[in-house]
Amino acid sequence: MRLLTVPTTAVPAALVLGLLLPGAAAASGAAPATGSPSPTASGFTITDPRITESSGLAASRIHPGVYWTHNDSDDGPYVYAVDSATGRTVARITMAGIGTPRDVEAISLGPDGNLYVGDIGDNRDGTWEHVWIYRFPEPKELADATVKAEQFTAVYADGPRNAEALMVHPVTGRVYIASKNEQGGGLYEGPEKLSADGRNVFRRVAEVPWVTDGAFSPDGTRLTLRGYFTARTYPWKDGRPQGEGERVDAPWQGQAESVTYSPDGRTLLFGAEGAGSRVVAVPVAPAATPAPSGPARPAPAAGSSGEKGADGAEGGGFTKGALVLAAGTALVLAAKRLLRRRPKG
């Protein structure tokens, strides 16, 4: 999804908010980023000129230091393997056996060794009746190749949604989608197993902030969700995010579109769109004790048509800091409305 062209310099989101909104950093509890990237994973720059809209990241489990990514649209059925040591593409995989992708926004690696690609974006702001998920085994050899992919049709129990985050739980293999809305979105749980026959219904199980991507930790005990200005990590228990989560010192990247964990779980890697985009490594903080308030606020009943914010109408998943971020988000929305691409068929 294109919004605006902004340099992807790694500047802490808290600093940007401090410039946009006086006192915003203090209100959100933000503090300057500290520490240095984990020695087991480091940032890198994507050098492939074909990758100009990197919208998802997934760390390979069988190829150390390799990360899978894709463009979000206007490219084709392609997935790229990028070597973090050099930033170069070491394989381009062409997915065969699927239709024409509309708006690919996310990628995740499941415990079954399959890559899951989420064609879940909606340039019409939530009017497509269904979206698609593609699945194929992670290639054992890194070379350009065409692979047979499965295609799954997905629908939301409470109506169409725009979404950019798809996460596969690394233990249960269940697929989750986080919808995107300027007032906050919803976390949707897919069926226990995806079926290639018929429709796979995703049901809303929690409220979340405005999300552009998400990732589970390798052990499945944490869920990290990111947006344009902030990121939060939630303890994961009983198939739900717990409490309001802990703030992560995500970098300011302008068109902030992706996040993944390193295979050892010690580092979060944040990516962005743009030619020559930078993937920034941020060390994972020690696990915090889950908030006593219990799981994230319950989702509204199926059939609810809105994705209400923190005004109490239907319970948003915003924290106090996220409320302050609303003004900063409004700036991005203004640019989006000016530069929105024409809807696709």
Side-chain angles (χ1 to χ4, degrees):
M1 173 181 191
R2 272 189 213 103
L3 295 185
L4 65 167
T5 302
V6 182
T8 56
T9 305
V11 179
L15 176 58
V16 175
L17 290 173
L19 295 174
L20 290 173
L21 304 170
S28 64
T34 59
S36 56
S38 165
T40 59
S42 58
F44 58 96
T45 298
I46 297 174
T47 62
D48 191 331
R50 296 172 296 181
I51 305 175
T52 58
E53 294 185 339
S54 175
S55 292
L57 281 175
S60 171
R61 293 202 190 101
I62 59 178
H63 304 294
V66 169
Y67 292 84
W68 295 96
T69 190
H70 54 83
N71 287 308
D72 82 343
S73 57
D74 296 333
D75 185 16
Y78 306 122
V79 174
Y80 302 82
V82 178
D83 181 359
S84 62
T86 63
R88 296 177 180 174
T89 295
V90 291
R92 185 175 83 160
I93 303 302
T94 302
M95 294 181 289
I98 65 172
T100 302
R102 287 187 299 207
D103 193 355
V104 177
E105 292 286 357
I107 187 168
S108 185
L109 186 59
D112 55 3
N114 285 311
L115 283 164
Y116 291 72
V117 181
D119 190 357
I120 56 176
D122 191 336
N123 290 325
R124 296 179 177 178
D125 288 331
T127 58
W128 279 326
E129 183 184 20
H130 62 269
V131 292
W132 296 306
I133 298 170
Y134 312 125
R135 183 176 73 185
F136 63 91
E138 181 180 15
K140 295 181 180 179
E141 301 293 332
L142 291 176
D144 290 358
T146 298
V147 301
K148 175 71 173 179
E150 296 177 274
Q151 179 169 324
F152 303 95
T153 298
V155 297
Y156 302 98
D158 53 358
R161 294 286 183 270
N162 184 22
E164 294 189 11
L166 178 146
M167 301 76 64
V168 182
H169 193 273
V171 177
T172 67
R174 202 154 196 160
V175 181
Y176 294 84
I177 295 175
S179 65
K180 176 184 175 184
N181 184 279
E182 60 197 71
Q183 293 180 306
L187 181 66
Y188 289 80
E189 179 184 73
E192 186 175 353
K193 292 185 180 298
L194 295 179
S195 172
D197 300 321
R199 299 187 171 194
N200 296 273
V201 180
F202 280 70
R203 303 185 186 281
R204 195 179 185 110
V205 295
E207 306 299 302
V208 295
W210 191 16
V211 175
T212 59
D213 200 13
F216 283 107
S217 61
D219 62 4
T221 63
R222 294 179 173 189
L223 172 65
T224 295
L225 300 174
R226 82 163 303 176
Y228 290 120
F229 296 107
T230 188
R232 301 192 76 81
T233 294
Y234 302 82
W236 185 264
K237 184 179 179 181
D238 299 327
R240 302 290 184 269
Q242 305 294 306
E244 294 187 336
E246 298 290 328
R247 185 184 60 81
V248 177
D249 284 318
W252 162 249
Q253 294 178 295
Q255 188 72 20
E257 290 283 336
S258 58
V259 64
T260 192
Y261 279 84
S262 60
D264 61 9
R266 297 172 59 187
T267 309
L268 280 163
L269 293 105
F270 293 89
E273 289 191 7
S277 62
R278 180 75 180 164
V279 175
V280 179
V282 175
V284 171
T289 302
S293 58
R297 296 181 185 180
S304 170
S305 60
E307 300 210 39
K308 306 300 183 182
D311 56 6
E314 283 193 9
F318 285 111
T319 61
K320 293 179 181 178
L323 285 171
V324 177
L325 294 179
T329 300
L331 298 179
V332 173
L333 289 172
K336 173 183 175 181
R337 291 179 179 118
L338 288 173
L339 302 177
R340 182 191 300 273
R341 64 174 62 156
R342 293 170 56 189
K344 295 188 174 190

